[in-house]
């Protein structure tokens, strides 16, 4: 079993930046793909960014060019750097992980294929 914990959410002004982090922990587990999803008011959960253990990335269209995903495999950490934040970025952000890299290649937009999920952290962007 794997536990994921997100840190770094909060209230920020539009146009500014915020960085989220997520750490995976457990016993006798394997993590390959890691990613970030979000769910805004009245919306379904959607892909923000995801990354394989080897560095392959995929981004949601709404954040491409503004957000950057990175990770430290040795520490089971994944980060999401969010720049040029807009009010539309207001959402609960969830960390996700999977024991394979398949979700990044074969359909990371589908939340049902990811095995592990964090509790979420609120990001609110004010204008």
């Amino acid at each position: 079993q794997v536990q994921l914990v997100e840190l770094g959410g909060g209230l920020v002004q539009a146009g500014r930046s915020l960085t989220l982090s997520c750490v995976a922990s457990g016993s006798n587990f394997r993590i390959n793909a890691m990613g970030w999803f979000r769910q805004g008011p009245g919306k379904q959960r959607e892909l923000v960014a995801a990354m394989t253990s080897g560095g392959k990335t995929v981004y949601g269209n709404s954040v491409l060019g503004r957000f950057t995903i990175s990770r430290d495999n040795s520490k089971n950490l994944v980060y999401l750097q969010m720049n040029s934040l807009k009010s539309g970025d207001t959402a609960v952000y969830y960390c996700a992980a999977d024991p394979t890299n398949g979700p990044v290649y074969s359909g990371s937009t589908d939340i049902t294929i990811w095995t592990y999920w964090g509790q979420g952290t609120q990001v609110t962007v004010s204008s």
Side-chain angles (χ1 to χ4, degrees):
Q1 298 296 316
V2 175
Q3 295 80 48
L4 304 177
V5 178
E6 302 98 335
L7 293 171
L11 175 65
V12 298
Q13 288 185 306
R16 299 194 179 186
S17 299
L18 191 68
T19 299
L20 306 180
S21 62
C22 171
V23 59
S25 63
S27 181
N28 296 321
F29 70 94
R30 179 181 66 181
I31 293 293
N32 278 293
M34 299 190 78
W36 293 93
F37 292 77
R38 69 184 184 185
Q39 187 165 12
K43 300 179 180 179
Q44 294 185 321
R45 193 170 301 186
E46 64 177 0
L47 171 72
V48 177
M51 193 176 198
T52 69
S53 57
K56 175 71 174 180
T57 61
V58 60
Y59 290 90
N61 291 334
S62 63
V63 306
L64 186 64
R66 298 189 298 120
F67 292 8
T68 302
I69 187 171
S70 61
R71 60 189 292 178
D72 184 340
N73 292 343
S74 67
K75 299 179 180 179
N76 297 314
L77 289 169
V78 63
Y79 304 94
L80 183 69
Q81 181 176 317
M82 303 181 290
N83 298 327
S84 302
L85 284 163
K86 303 182 290 187
S87 60
D89 296 318
T90 294
V92 177
Y93 284 72
Y94 297 90
C95 179
D98 197 87
T100 76
N101 284 314
V104 176
Y105 294 107
S106 63
S108 60
T109 58
D110 185 354
I111 65 172
T112 65
I113 67 175
W114 293 82
T115 302
Y116 307 112
W117 291 89
Q119 79 287 346
T121 185
Q122 177 71 44
V123 174
T124 301
V125 183
S126 65
S127 60

